[in-house]
Amino acid sequence: MKIAEAPVDNAPALPRVRFRDARIEMSHGAGGKASRRLIEGLIAPLLGGPLLAPLADAAFLEVDGARLALTADSFVVRPLRFPGGSIGELAVNGTVNDLAVSAAQPLALLLTFVIEEGIATETLEAELRAIAEAARRAGVEIVGGDTKVVEHGKADGLYVTTAGLGRADLRARLSPRSVRPGDQVLLSGPIGDHGITILLARGEIDLEADLRSDTRSVYPFVEAILGVAASGLRWMRDPTRGGVATALNELARDSGLGIVLHEEEIPVREAVRGACELLGLDPLHIANEGQFLAVVAPELAEAALAAVRAVPGGGEAVIIGEVREQPARTVLAAASYGGTRVVDMLVGDPLPRIC
Amino acid sequence: MKIAEAPVDNAPALPRVRFRDARIEMSHGAGGKASRRLIEGLIAPLLGGPLLAPLADAAFLEVDGARLALTADSFVVRPLRFPGGSIGELAVNGTVNDLAVSAAQPLALLLTFVIEEGIATETLEAELRAIAEAARRAGVEIVGGDTKVVEHGKADGLYVTTAGLGRADLRARLSPRSVRPGDQVLLSGPIGDHGITILLARGEIDLEADLRSDTRSVYPFVEAILGVAASGLRWMRDPTRGGVATALNELARDSGLGIVLHEEEIPVREAVRGACELLGLDPLHIANEGQFLAVVAPELAEAALAAVRAVPGGGEAVIIGEVREQPARTVLAAASYGGTRVVDMLVGDPLPRIC
């Protein structure tokens, strides 16, 4: 019997693509289940090499002995300015925060602009000033960028893309796989402020509230945790698109463990709670731009919490839950009276273009 | 007489902004004079710190002993696909080339996508495959990115932003200020292919030609020059938006010297020459995506040229001119019959959105 030879083919194997949606819809950019399908089913298989970190906040690589973190995000928020911030400020803080929750010290940013023909120079100037000020506050250097202009009607005034370079903090080894039952889930402050602020700023719903985006750098809080609890720090994430629910569901899935939240401990401002009730939204699905989640070993959780609370702006940090063996790959919210509910990832896109 | 004390003010000084145009127009993104005014008059003063390299192709910084180059570019080319390439391929090669002409070895890329709602998945998939293939050919790793979706009508299918990280090659010290009279200007091959290909692909002019974009990585050529002539390599640039004329005018301005081109030595394909004549364009103003300019000390210019020509695809490289003391800050094109003309930077935007 003759064994057939394998066909000779020097071309790289075609990667397997599992994404079956015929068209790209808004939900594919919302940060929830559809985004995950797009990234895991199409983008990562096609672009992926050994270093690609498709869902992590930053990629790590070593160059001549330096341990670097790299990340990039595009910002398409509408409107460009809103209470508490603007697209330029988001573009700096969002990228700084992706580095921060990867336990990397943010060092340098590149900013690129896709500008709509005809926008007032003062609109662009205001964003440049917001960017410069946010970078100064976050302690990062802006080292370069690029500018393109597209015709009137293409782009809503301004899209901003930010790439960030950071220095990996060798004290921390973050991974969903290092998470253990008993670990505590720390949240840095009230959730949903950013998403609901954007929603209200669009004027599409008849509701007024004294609410501001929470956009800020979370690096000072991360630095504080690293100072006292680096050895017990397992995982961090800034819950932007898709909110706390989506971030924790990704952790549950990637760790194979369950997460039980003490729902009443989760800080939600009245205005956010009210808007969510009115619209049938869950605050756990609403985007944040200045909060982060950290999973910390139980023996260091109180020290981590105290460290975050000691940093200005960290006073509302709280332990919102813990990791359990069961129910595996699931996030549960438990109420004090004993009821529990399953908290799912964001599905669809109830609040498009919030960052 | 009492000397008045300086007023106490701890806020950072407001940077001086010289840009006076009331609105952003297409020409501000075209890479010529208006782009330079926008960058030098508004963006650089507001964002600038000591590391900002507003008009250079890449910024350099040192992290823990590693000498790094960073660059980012947004791509908004219309149409998305054209003979010889596509937006995804441009997005890889454009950023790789910005690193290459900064004498940095391209290592890693981040890709972010702003996708128009409703585009066919196969359109996105084709670009992802083009990106993966271009990255493989250029020897760079894709390490991460981001995806946003905007409503139908906002964005023309797809905008792509690429950030790149490279390792600075310590053999070269490139700067307009190191350029000296007598230095030779090397060009890697025929000019204008990319810009005219895009123009024809839009079908707006009644002209057919067998022409393809020149998009490719120029790093192999740069590496070849560095191997034989690094000590004499003064300056490099990839003449994209604004073309060879704009790149050399920037060099003339920044070095304070003159550049005299042997116009008949500059390779221009018949199809490009024909289209330019028809449209009243100068091939020296047309964008390239796979060529580069290098200024080399006279004693090493022939070695550099031979090295480029020995690399596949480099056979059409040529010395197109030289640096002179006079006319200062000016680019001249000399014809063999003795006439000369001043070659200015690109003004306006005859070919919008070519990258």
Side-chain angles (χ1 to χ4, degrees), chain A residues 275-334:
Chain A
C276 282
E277 275 171 15
L278 194 73
L279 297 162
L281 299 172
D282 184 340
L284 288 167
H285 284 143
I286 309 298
N288 312 279
E289 291 288 341
Q291 306 302 339
F292 73 104
L293 293 157
V295 170
V296 188
E299 65 277 13
L300 286 166
E302 280 304 321
L305 181 63
V308 172
R309 285 186 172 165
V311 175
E316 292 173 281
V318 63
I319 303 289
I320 61 165
E322 71 173 54
V323 179
R324 303 249 176 103
E325 196 92 45
Q326 296 293 335
R329 304 167 68 85
T330 302
V331 179
L332 287 183

Side-chain angles (χ1 to χ4, degrees), chain B residues 103-156:
Chain B
Q105 180 194 3
L107 298 176
L109 301 182
L110 300 159
L111 272 293
T112 76
F113 306 98
V114 174
I115 306 173
E116 182 184 2
E117 177 189 21
I119 70 160
T121 297
E122 62 190 306
T123 302
L124 178 61
E125 182 173 340
E127 292 316 311
L128 294 170
R129 289 186 188 277
I131 287 165
E133 176 59 17
R136 192 188 61 74
R137 266 188 271 118
V140 289
E141 190 88 39
I142 296 170
V143 298
D146 183 41
T147 305
K148 293 280 156 68
V149 182
V150 296
E151 294 84 354
H152 179 63
K154 307 293 183 183
D156 306 83

Side-chain angles (χ1 to χ4, degrees), chain B residues 59-210:
Chain B
F60 287 92
L61 66 169
E62 193 173 320
V63 178
D64 299 335
R67 302 242 322 158
L68 307 172
L70 278 178
T71 187
D73 268 301
S74 288
F75 296 84
V76 298
V77 64
R78 279 187 308 118
L80 295 179
R81 300 193 84 86
F82 42 82
S86 70
I87 191 171
E89 208 173 336
L90 277 193
V92 171
N93 290 337
T95 298
V96 161
N97 290 346
D98 281 346
L99 293 170
V101 297
S102 304
Q105 180 194 3
L107 298 176
L109 301 182
L110 300 159
L111 272 293
T112 76
F113 306 98
V114 174
I115 306 173
E116 182 184 2
E117 177 189 21
I119 70 160
T121 297
E122 62 190 306
T123 302
L124 178 61
E125 182 173 340
E127 292 316 311
L128 294 170
R129 289 186 188 277
I131 287 165
E133 176 59 17
R136 192 188 61 74
R137 266 188 271 118
V140 289
E141 190 88 39
I142 296 170
V143 298
D146 183 41
T147 305
K148 293 280 156 68
V149 182
V150 296
E151 294 84 354
H152 179 63
K154 307 293 183 183
D156 306 83
L158 188 60
Y159 300 150
V160 183
T161 299
T162 314
L165 174 79
R167 173 192 281 125
D169 193 311
L170 300 181
R171 292 173 293 179
R173 295 268 161 192
L174 305 182
S175 162
R177 279 184 287 274
S178 70
V179 170
R180 297 282 171 269
D183 286 352
Q184 300 292 297
V185 180
L186 183 155
L187 169 67
S188 57
I191 62 170
D193 290 7
H194 178 73
I196 298 300
T197 297
I198 296 297
L199 184 73
L200 298 180
R202 289 191 193 145
E204 290 164 7
I205 61 166
D206 187 21
L207 193 71
E208 287 201 17
D210 185 21

